[in-house]
């Protein structure tokens, strides 16, 4: 119980390095091992972050007895297989977003974790940022009355070629799966389960959506207006509104440090929230908390919600004609 949680990182790309950096800020965590498809690449990351064990295959990491939990940091089409590999080997898993390519894959991975009685969570790190935690607390306290609208945008100009994973269909490219999952997830967090989703998109030369606008109807009432894009850099804001006013969070998906409270008849109020390191520490802290408490999923990002969000993504993908090789699996 008093020992640090020993993490393994599967994959060595951009987000793997960010997460390795974040673990330095988690007091009861230790980066024990990393794995790459090639030993040299694992060693390169291992050297940079003083990692004790560097594996030249993902299977070797899954089998490593000194690792307590594995963070999956590969492109989305790999997530389902990588998660199954780790779960089959008896390892709890934190898996990058989008959790899988479609809801069918997500259901099978969740079923395996439940069968093996192992912890599993989608790495929707934004839900654990202190600013989002505080906004949720304020809204649940009734500050704006019953929340009935969410507006959320996540767009940035991605200066990448067609071979880059953001645009390559074989690597799960496209704005909806890469960025749209954030506004979608946050809308469901604040307004509850999505009853129906309607999307329009602009598809680029590689066949994936480069920008998508979508609206959501929530089962318990309320509507959301969302946008994601690789073509334009948007303000990146999350606004939750109710009859008494609105709560606006700047950069909600990556820092959520600045909150504005705008209530009818009152001066606007501003709150600044802290952020540990680059922000990824907060989800790692939640995983550690769950593991120590013997939880198999986080109440903040439950598995049924992860699957339901993929159902919504599937629905929107069929509306905009966005297909992937993984759709047959
Ligand atoms: N939470 C966030 O803020 C955030 C930010 C960025 C990305 N992400 C998510 O994290 C995942 C990875 O994104 P990334 O930007 O880190 O990608 P990346 O830089 O391309 O790295 C992906 C890593 O996956 C491994 N990999 C395994 N099979 C691969 C294949 N066929 N092609 C390419 N790489 C392969 C590679 O590691 P080895 O060669 O060492 O095996 C590679 O370094 C995506 O699902 C993305 O949505 C999340």
């Amino acid at each position: 119980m008093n020992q640090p949680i020993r993490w393994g990182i599967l994959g060595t790309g951009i987000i793997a390095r960010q997460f390795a950096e974040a673990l330095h800020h988690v007091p009861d965590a230790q980066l024990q091992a990393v794995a790459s498809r090639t030993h040299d690449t694992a060693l390169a990351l291992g050297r940079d972050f003083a990692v004790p064990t560097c594996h030249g295959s993902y299977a070797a990491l899954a089998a490593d007895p000194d690792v307590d939990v594995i963070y999956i940091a590969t492109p989305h089409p790999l997530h389902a297989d990588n998660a199954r590999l780790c779960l089959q080997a008896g390892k709890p898993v934190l898996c990058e977003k989008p959790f899988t390519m479609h809801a069918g894959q997500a259901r099978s991975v969740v079923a395996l974790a439940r069968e093996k009685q192992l912890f599993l969570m989608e790495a929707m790190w934004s839900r654990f940022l202190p600013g989002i935690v505080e906004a949720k607390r304020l809204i649940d306290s009734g500050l704006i009355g019953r929340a009935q609208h969410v507006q959320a945008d996540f767009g940035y100009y991605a200066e990448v070629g067609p071979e880059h994973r953001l645009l390559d269909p074989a690597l799960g490219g496209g704005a909806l799966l890469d960025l749209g999952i954030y506004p979608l997830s946050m809308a469901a967090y604040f307004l509850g389960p999505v009853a129906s989703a309607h999307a329009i998109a602009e598809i680029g030369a590689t066949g994936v959506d480069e920008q998508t606008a979508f609206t959501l109807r929530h089962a318990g009432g309320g509507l959301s207006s969302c946008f994601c894009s690789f073509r334009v850099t948007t303000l990146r804001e999350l606004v939750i509104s109710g009859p008494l006013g609105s709560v606006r969070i700047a950069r909600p998906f990556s820092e959520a440090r600045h909150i504005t409270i705008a209530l009818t008849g009152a001066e606007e109020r501003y709150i600044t929230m802290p952020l540990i390191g680059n922000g990824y520490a907060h989800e790692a802290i939640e995983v550690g908390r769950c593991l120590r408490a013997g939880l198999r999923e986080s109440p903040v990002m439950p598995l049924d919600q992860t699957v339901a969000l993929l159902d919504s993504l599937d629905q929107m993908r069929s509306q905009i004609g966005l297909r992937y090789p993984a759709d047959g699996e």
Side-chain angles (χ1 to χ4, degrees):
M1 240 359 209
N2 295 323
Q3 299 302 311
I5 304 273
R6 297 168 301 174
W7 283 84
I9 298 183
L10 190 155
T12 57
I14 293 172
I15 197 63
R17 283 179 170 270
Q18 296 270 323
F19 193 78
E21 164 66 26
L23 285 179
H24 284 312
H25 298 277
V26 182
D28 64 347
Q30 153 189 332
L31 178 49
Q32 173 64 31
V34 307
S36 169
R37 292 166 297 172
T38 60
H39 198 237
D40 283 351
T41 314
L43 282 175
L45 192 147
R47 263 194 304 272
D48 290 349
F49 293 93
V51 186
T53 312
C54 301
H55 294 289
S57 79
Y58 298 159
L61 173 66
D64 186 335
D66 294 329
V67 167
D68 298 318
V69 55
I70 295 178
Y71 167 62
I72 294 175
T74 50
H76 350 317
L78 281 301
H79 291 176
D81 279 351
N82 294 160
R84 283 191 204 104
L85 176 75
C86 298
L87 293 166
Q88 289 288 9
K91 293 289 192 292
V93 166
L94 172 67
C95 182
E96 259 309 333
K97 43 53 61 177
F99 186 66
T100 54
M101 290 302 289
H102 54 75
Q105 283 182 339
R107 284 193 175 86
S108 96
V109 174
V110 167
L112 180 61
R114 287 181 173 154
E115 181 198 318
K116 298 274 182 190
Q117 304 191 356
L118 289 166
F119 177 84
L120 175 65
M121 187 178 99
E122 177 186 3
M124 181 39 72
W125 64 303
S126 314
R127 288 194 181 200
F128 304 98
L129 300 175
I132 297 296
V133 174
E134 177 62 4
K136 184 85 166 91
R137 190 190 69 76
L138 290 171
I139 282 152
D140 289 350
S141 77
L143 181 75
I144 60 169
R146 189 165 76 83
Q148 283 162 69
H149 184 246
V150 162
Q151 188 180 313
D153 65 279
F154 196 175
Y156 72 92
Y157 175 48
E159 258 186 301
V160 295
E163 72 297 337
H164 193 278
R165 78 160 183 86
L166 293 179
L167 297 179
D168 181 354
L171 292 177
L176 183 62
L177 291 198
D178 206 84
L179 302 178
I181 180 69
Y182 287 96
L184 172 64
S185 183
M186 216 50 94
Y189 193 43
F190 284 98
L191 296 188
V194 175
S196 62
H198 298 274
I200 51 171
E202 289 187 310
I203 306 289
T206 63
V208 302
D209 66 308
E210 293 185 359
Q211 49 182 10
T212 297
F214 55 97
T215 51
L216 309 170
R217 177 183 292 281
H218 295 268
L223 302 174
S224 295
S225 326
C226 304
F227 178 69
C228 56
S229 178
F230 289 143
R231 286 188 183 170
V232 297
T233 300
T234 65
L235 277 177
R236 283 161 283 170
E237 287 189 331
L238 170 67
V239 185
I240 305 115
S241 302
L244 307 180
S246 296
V247 171
R248 183 174 72 225
I249 302 135
R251 306 278 174 93
F253 311 120
S254 58
E255 41 181 281
R257 298 199 59 236
H258 301 290
I259 301 178
T260 305
I261 299 171
L263 300 179
T264 311
E267 289 276 311
E268 282 195 354
R269 284 193 288 134
Y270 307 98
I271 305 174
T272 301
M273 295 299 294
L275 186 72
I276 299 176
N278 60 16
Y280 295 99
H282 297 286
E283 64 178 350
I285 290 168
E286 171 69 355
V287 174
R289 184 189 76 79
C290 290
L291 290 176
R292 289 182 194 286
L295 300 178
R296 294 191 195 124
E297 53 188 292
S298 163
V300 179
M301 188 65 255
L303 293 167
D304 287 345
Q305 258 189 53
T306 287
V307 173
L309 295 176
L310 277 153
D311 276 325
S312 297
L313 288 175
D314 289 351
Q315 188 181 0
M316 291 192 274
R317 280 177 48 207
S318 76
Q319 292 161 359
I320 62 177
L322 180 60
R323 292 198 54 79
Y324 292 102
D327 287 345
E329 295 168 15

